[in-house]
């Protein structure tokens, strides 16, 4: 009798794809780039900290405070070209163009070769950065709406200063794992992008279209020369100065010229290239930006009065209180909240070596908003020098509070960070590649096997030598009677 058992078709099921890791291990080239970039920024951050201390000391000692104002308001430059500027303006409009030039290169590289080149990988840091700018602005608006203050400074607490944050890490002696450092760097890059847009859109009043057309023509020529492969600093530096001067006279903030030129550089490597032109130029210019341009800007911009009355004013005036709360509360809540929500909805898993308190600590560290915050503060309240100085004081105090809170949280996890960093840097086979990146390389394991075999053989030789040395005294005559003394007989064997 034929079987009546019904056979159902077998449905092939594919194994579930692994969930994407958030703050996972960087690729080796990315790790090396981040380490090199942040090493320079850390040195620059320390110089920035020193320049800030000098500026505050200079501005708050009565005997020399008048000379500080005289120096930074000293005018120099060709008036016929519309460039008869004070030293403070030269630092803000000229030197910071170098800073934003490097920021433009960083952004271009992130978009074409870094974390932002992959839409899925970029989603988390971009959402975190956007929330980390939107929430501080919202905090500022709420405080000033309730307190009846000016809404013009809404953008002041939105920026993160990566150099100052790294200087804090250097001072407290904390070594963040590369994934957290890269996350902080990506946050700062996206911050810089939106800061550029804010400056261009909201702080441009009257436009000189003739000068702007000249600047655009210069940028087109700059791009055309790059595409032709023309080389030589003597071509590009004079052209960059002309573009900057035209942009300044156009009414658009001159730092936009720096960003535009940075974005035009090629940041992808061709066959046979060790570094792309953008990476090479960034390597040359970053030390000038971090070690000279930004510290000089801080020297001329951070010198504000910090008397008891002015400090009290920071916590009572809505504009300044909004800045402090925006940096300390808004940044932390925005970055951490945006990261947590993005990870939840994208189903990304946090790296098992890290925990959410680590993200909270980095979010708090991002509340250090110095260079760009000071610049936006100057632009937002340009017609009120007293309020400008008070807002600058609020930026300093808010950044200090954020730094203290972040330092405490990071110190609590410092032992874990040190262990992770040592594991990332360990290179037992001395081939120049950290061992953690070679776990799937058979040649690495063969090299390690040989190393351990040689170590084992060496230890066996040492064990044999030690055993032989231990037997020698027993073989030597003791010089005592065969029966031994009564005292020796009482000794343990």
């Amino acid at each position: 009798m034929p079987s009546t058992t019904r056979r159902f078709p077998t449905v092939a099921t594919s194994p579930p794809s692994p969930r994407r890791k958030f703050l996972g291990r960087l690729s080796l080239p990315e790790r090396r780039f981040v380490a090199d970039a942040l090493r320079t920024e850390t040195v620059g951050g320390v110089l920035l900290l020193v320049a800030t201390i000098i500026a505050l000391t200079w501005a708050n000692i009565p005997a020399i405070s008048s000379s500080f104002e005289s120096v930074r308001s000293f005018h120099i430059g060709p008036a016929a070209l519309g460039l008869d500027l004070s030293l403070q303006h030269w630092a803000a409009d000229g030197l910071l163009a170098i800073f934003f030039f490097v920021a433009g290169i960083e952004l271009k590289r992130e978009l074409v070769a870094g974390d932002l080149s992959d839409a899925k990988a970029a989603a988390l840091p971009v959402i975190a950065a956007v929330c980390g700018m939107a929430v501080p602005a919202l905090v500022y608006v709420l405080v000033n709406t309730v307190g009846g203050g000016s809404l013009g400074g809404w953008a002041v607490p939105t920026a993160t200063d990566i150099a100052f944050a790294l200087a804090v890490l250097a001072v407290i002696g904390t070594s963040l794992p590369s994934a957290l450092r890269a996350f902080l760097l990506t946050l700062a890059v996206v911050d810089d992008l939106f800061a550029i847009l804010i400056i261009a859109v909201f702080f441009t009043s009257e436009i000189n279209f003739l000068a702007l057309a000249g600047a655009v023509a210069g940028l087109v020529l700059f791009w055309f020369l790059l595409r032709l492969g023309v080389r030589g600093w003597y071509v590009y530096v004079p052209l960059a100065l002309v573009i900057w001067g035209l942009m300044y006279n156009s009414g658009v903030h001159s730092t936009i010229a720096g960003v535009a030129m940075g974005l035009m550089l090629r940041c992808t490597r061709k066959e046979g290239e060790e570094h792309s032109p953008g990476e090479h130029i960034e390597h040359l210019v970053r030390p000038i930006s971090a070690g000279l341009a930004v510290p000089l800007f801080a020297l001329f911009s951070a010198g504000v009065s910090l008397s008891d009355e002015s400090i009290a004013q920071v916590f009572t005036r809505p504009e300044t209180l909004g800045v402090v709360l925006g940096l300390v509360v808004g940044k932390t809540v925005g970055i951490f909240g945006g990261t947590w929500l993005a990870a939840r909805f994208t189903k990304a898993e946090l790296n098992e070596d890290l925990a959410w308190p680590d993200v909270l600590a980095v979010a708090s560290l991002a509340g250090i908003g110095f260079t760009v915050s000071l610049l936006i503060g100057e632009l937002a309240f340009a017609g009120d020098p007293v309020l400008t100085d008070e807002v600058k004081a609020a930026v300093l105090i808010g950044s200090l509070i954020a730094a203290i809170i972040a330092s405490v949280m990071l110190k609590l996890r410092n032992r874990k960070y040190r262990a992770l960093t040592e594991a990332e840097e360990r290179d037992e086979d001395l081939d120049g590649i950290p061992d953690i990146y070679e776990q799937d390389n058979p040649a690495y394991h063969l090299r390690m096997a040989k190393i351990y075999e040689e170590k084992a053989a060496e230890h066996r030789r040492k064990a044999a030598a030690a055993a032989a040395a231990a037997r020698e005294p027993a073989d030597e005559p003791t010089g005592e009677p065969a029966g031994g003394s009564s005292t020796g007989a009482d000794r343990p064997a």
Side-chain angles (χ1 to χ4, degrees), residues 255-272:
T255 54
I256 304 300
V259 175
M261 287 183 279
L263 288 171
M264 290 181 184
L265 295 176
R266 177 168 60 83
C267 293
T268 53
R269 301 177 188 178
K270 292 182 177 179
E271 187 176 354

Side-chain angles (χ1 to χ4, degrees), residues 74-77 82-90 93 244 248:
F74 179 77
H75 278 63
I76 188 173
L83 297 175
D84 183 18
L85 310 177
S86 67
L87 293 181
Q88 184 178 2
H89 277 110
W90 274 113
D93 292 270
W244 173 86
Y248 176 83

